[in-house]
Each structure stands twice: as C-alpha cells, then as structure tokens.
Amino acid sequence: MGFSEFVIMEKRVLIPRHEIQIKVKDLARQISSDFAGKEPILIGILNGVVFFFADLVMSLSIPSKIDFIRASSYGSSKASSGAIKLVKDVEIPVRGQDLIVVEDIVDTGLTLNYLVKNLKSREPASVKICALIDKAERRENEVKIDYCGFRVQEGFLVGYGLDYAEKYRYLPDICVIE
Ligand code: IMP
Ligand code: MG
C-alpha cells in the first residue's frame, strides 16, 4: 500500500466506546430474545472479534457456549490476498447445534462466506451471523447478516479489536485511519 511503518497515521474516532456499548447491549437483547429457551454456540472469528465477542457474550441473558475459528485472508496490510484458508477450527462438535458466527467487520464477505459454508457442511441445526460492522459497499460475496451493529460507508477502521498490520487493536474506540 506504500504506507511506511514509520509514517504516523492520523486516527479519527468514528464510533466512541459508549456508543459501542449501547449497540452491543442492543444486539445481545435481540439474540437473547430470538434464542430464548436455547443454548447457542457463539463462534468468534479470531483475532479482531475478541473484545466485541466478550462484551456480547457477557451481555446475553440466555446460556451459551463459546468457541473460536480463524481464517487467514488479509495479510499484514489493508489489501486482501483473496485466498482464504482455515487456520484454527472450532473444537466443540457443531452438528445439530444452533450456531451464531460472530465477526468484527464484514468487508468483501469472502471470509465469512467461506467460514459459514464450511460450518454448514457439518449439519448444524441453524447458523446465524452477527457482525459489529458492515462495510457493504465492497461486498463481493452475498452475506446475510442477521444481527448487524453499525453500517459504515468507507474507510479503514481500527480499534476495539480491529487492526492495521496488527497495530491499534487495543484502542477502546473504533477509529478511522486517514
Ligand atoms: P472480508 O473477507 O473482505 O469480508 O474481510 C473481513 C476481514 O478483513 C475482517 O475479519 C477483518 O479482519 C478484516 N478487515 C476488513 N476491513 C477492515 C477494516 O476496515 N479494519 C480492520 N480490519 C478489516
Ligand atoms: Mg477479522
């Protein structure tokens, strides 16, 4: 991308922490109501999802199980390589279970599409998708996001788990790099 590691990038707060918290509670309420009487397995897509995932799971008012999956797609920059492979699989058997796949941000949709197809091939009872951020304008693969936090038009986002070349995940707000 031509960005030098030594260039200090400007970050502007796009979604402050308190707005994230309100939205996460709202998503948790919807999921708890839709899955009342059930015990879904929430599957977090590592690594970016970690803070969102923890906040979401702890805000649910229903019992749940958690597991994680990891795919490699983006390298260390802002450009997608296009090729996706499974780097870490779930460990709980998913056959016959209600799954909620939790993602930080959906961009082209390649990652989520690949992972959901993979999980569906193991015959779970149901698969729903929850994403904190939907960057719909770059979508290449159609993905039905059942629970969506924020729709963002453009820009590269960091913070609250999101990284740029593994940096800035620790920021409490969601920021846009300018
Ligand atoms: P997709 O396969 O193009 O939908 O890309 C999804 C993955 O790319 C997400 O899980 C993120 O890890 C990463 N990604 C996409 N857009 C951003 C962004 O704006 N900031 C940080 N990571 C992003
Ligand atoms: Mg990710």
Side-chain angles (χ1 to χ4, degrees):
M1 290 298 291
F3 279 96
S4 158
E5 285 293 306
F6 304 103
V7 172
I8 298 168
M9 285 182 292
E10 295 293 328
K11 297 182 294 301
R12 176 171 58 83
V13 174
L14 188 69
I15 311 168
R17 179 80 181 110
H18 68 268
E19 277 181 32
I20 301 172
Q21 282 174 322
I22 292 167
K23 188 64 82 177
V24 171
K25 293 250 174 329
D26 189 43
L27 291 171
R29 255 194 307 274
Q30 289 176 48
I31 292 172
S32 301
S33 134
D34 291 355
F35 285 83
K38 296 182 175 174
E39 187 174 5
I41 304 174
L42 282 95
I43 300 176
I45 304 179
L46 295 171
N47 290 341
V49 85
V50 286
F51 304 136
F52 172 48
F53 191 79
D55 286 346
L56 181 74
V57 172
M58 288 189 289
S59 301
L60 295 175
S61 58
I62 52 163
S64 65
K65 292 177 181 161
I66 64 168
D67 206 339
F68 297 93
I69 200 164
R70 180 154 161 77
S72 72
S73 61
Y74 280 58
S76 59
S77 76
K78 295 199 262 186
S80 174
S81 71
I84 299 173
K85 63 173 197 265
L86 200 65
V87 179
K88 186 228 169 288
D89 201 359
V90 289
E91 286 161 49
I92 304 175
V94 298
R95 195 192 168 95
Q97 302 295 310
D98 293 306
L99 311 181
I100 304 173
V101 180
V102 187
E103 173 68 302
D104 48 7
I105 184 164
V106 185
D107 187 11
T108 63
L110 278 164
T111 309
L112 203 49
N113 203 46
Y114 171 87
L115 291 175
V116 166
K117 258 196 199 137
N118 183 305
L119 288 167
K120 278 188 174 162
S121 73
R122 305 178 211 183
E123 302 178 337
S126 67
V127 182
K128 296 282 186 211
I129 294 172
C130 174
L132 181 63
I133 298 163
D134 180 7
K135 286 210 301 199
E137 92 285 1
R138 293 222 316 165
R139 195 64 31 84
E140 289 168 20
N141 285 240
E142 204 192 311
V143 179
K144 180 175 174 280
I145 303 176
D146 303 283
Y147 306 97
C148 176
F150 300 98
R151 282 191 184 80
V152 172
Q153 284 313 309
E154 62 205 79
F156 198 83
L157 310 182
V158 295
Y160 194 58
L162 296 168
D163 73 306
Y164 171 60
E166 294 304 327
K167 295 200 280 200
Y168 310 124
R169 289 194 197 273
Y170 56 86
L171 296 172
D173 309 301
I174 293 171
C175 304
V176 61
I177 286 182
E178 322 201 285

